[in-house]
Amino acid sequence: MALLDPSFGEINGTIRAEGRDIFLLVDVSKSMDATDVQPSRIEKTKFEISRIVNHFTSDRIGVIVFSEDAFMLSPLTFDHNAINLFIPRINSELLPAGGTNFTPALELALDKLTKIKTSNKSKVIVLMSDGENFGNLDYSLLNRIRRNGVNLFTVGVGTAEGSTIKEGKSLKKDEDGNVVVTKLDPDLMRKMAAETRGGYFEVHSVSDSFVDLIKQIENISANLIDQRTVTVTANKYFYFLVVALFLLGIDVFFTVRTFQL
């Protein structure tokens, strides 16, 4: 009877989901194809965001790709396996060619985060780029991020020496026919982090401060994201198992004598 796994009677249980809401903003402009960080800036970025996804297993994570415009690649989700399927598909061809503009990506992430009715202190934006911003950054947006208490971290990917960019079988050139050299421009990203009381980190061949970024996110307190009450039947196998053990004990310790007439 115990092996039949009997279940009867109903009990109410509460399922709580606690964690952080993390949006990863990934620059997919053409300059991210530069190879001053091996194998390329964008491939290194994909490797690092995979580390975040696999490290923060109990948190909701979403991915936004951007260049001149922004696109939601994955909404906030606990399904990290789905995100890991999207990450390899990130490349500089996802969005129409254009320069980098931080504002649309930050606006999209902030809009989604502020609609969630949880503590803003558990909400995180991680923006990864080489810093070559050609749009006009809306500083009022940074003020909104700070006022709402959302944690903003910026990650510079590239080197000060820079690199050329392949375009087909040749190198990318400007309007005057000069070979384009793209370099890490950390100034604006540092300023963004300072304005929002966040942090700035760099990833390149010599130094990788991504471990420090992960530690900073770990220090952010988790928040109750979802809570549900479910009704389940109680497993009662142990009652039958106790009776079985009692009967086995009687059989082992007591001898029943039989008499043949």
Side-chain angles (χ1 to χ4, degrees):
M1 290 294 294
L3 290 174
L4 289 175
D5 200 23
S7 298
F8 50 88
E10 293 184 347
I11 58 174
N12 291 327
T14 301
I15 299 177
R16 294 169 58 90
E18 294 184 349
R20 308 166 190 85
D21 291 316
I22 305 173
F23 258 122
L24 304 175
L25 280 50
V26 183
D27 185 355
V28 292
S29 60
K30 292 296 182 181
S31 61
M32 292 294 286
D33 288 330
T35 56
D36 52 346
V37 178
Q38 293 295 322
S40 71
R41 292 176 183 174
I42 198 163
E43 291 299 323
K44 180 65 173 176
T45 301
K46 288 157 63 174
F47 172 76
E48 298 295 359
I49 64 175
S50 293
R51 290 173 62 185
I52 287 184
V53 171
N54 295 326
H55 186 84
F56 295 99
T57 55
S58 62
D59 300 324
R60 285 193 301 198
I61 297 178
V63 180
I64 294 174
V65 294
F66 69 94
S67 57
E68 193 170 356
D69 296 312
F71 173 74
M72 178 83 69
L73 188 65
S74 170
L76 288 169
T77 178
F78 286 113
D79 189 355
H80 293 186
N81 290 328
I83 297 177
N84 282 324
L85 291 176
F86 286 128
I87 291 175
R89 302 177 184 178
I90 296 175
N91 60 72
S92 60
E93 304 294 330
L94 279 178
L95 296 177
T100 304
N101 190 352
F102 296 148
T103 299
L106 290 171
E107 283 180 338
L108 179 58
L110 183 61
D111 179 63
K112 297 299 181 183
L113 288 173
T114 52
K115 288 180 179 178
I116 301 171
K117 296 181 180 179
T118 58
S119 172
N120 289 333
K121 294 181 179 179
S122 66
K123 297 173 182 177
V124 181
I125 297 175
V126 179
L127 185 146
M128 304 185 67
S129 172
D130 53 27
E132 292 186 334
N133 182 61
F134 295 99
N136 294 319
L137 182 62
D138 185 357
Y139 283 91
S140 65
L141 177 60
L142 299 180
N143 291 330
R144 285 170 52 202
I145 292 174
R146 184 178 62 191
R147 287 198 311 269
N148 282 284
V150 177
N151 302 275
L152 174 63
F153 300 106
T154 58
V155 181
V157 185
T159 63
E161 294 77 19
S163 171
T164 55
I165 308 171
K166 286 186 177 181
E167 191 173 54
K169 294 183 180 180
S170 59
L171 298 177
K172 185 177 179 62
K173 297 181 180 180
D174 59 20
E175 297 177 352
D176 298 325
N178 301 315
V179 175
V180 173
V181 176
T182 172
K183 299 179 181 180
L184 173 65
D185 187 1
D187 293 342
L188 181 58
M189 300 180 75
R190 283 197 180 101
K191 188 171 184 179
M192 290 166 57
E195 289 284 334
T196 56
R197 299 173 185 172
Y200 171 75
F201 305 87
E202 281 190 4
V203 174
H204 47 76
S205 302
V206 178
S207 174
D208 187 345
S209 58
F210 223 79
V211 174
D212 298 325
L213 170 62
I214 289 176
K215 289 180 180 178
Q216 287 284 337
I217 298 176
E218 286 178 335
N219 290 333
I220 297 171
S221 59
N223 192 59
L224 179 63
I225 294 176
D226 192 15
Q227 179 173 308
R228 297 180 183 179
T229 301
V230 295
T231 302
V232 296
T233 56
N235 194 307
K236 305 294 186 180
Y237 77 92
F238 50 86
Y239 292 122
F240 298 95
L241 184 60
V242 169
V243 174
L245 292 174
F246 176 73
L247 294 175
L248 286 172
I250 292 176
D251 184 58
V252 170
F253 294 107
F254 295 92
T255 302
V256 178
R257 295 183 179 182
T258 58
F259 298 92
Q260 185 176 5
L261 299 176

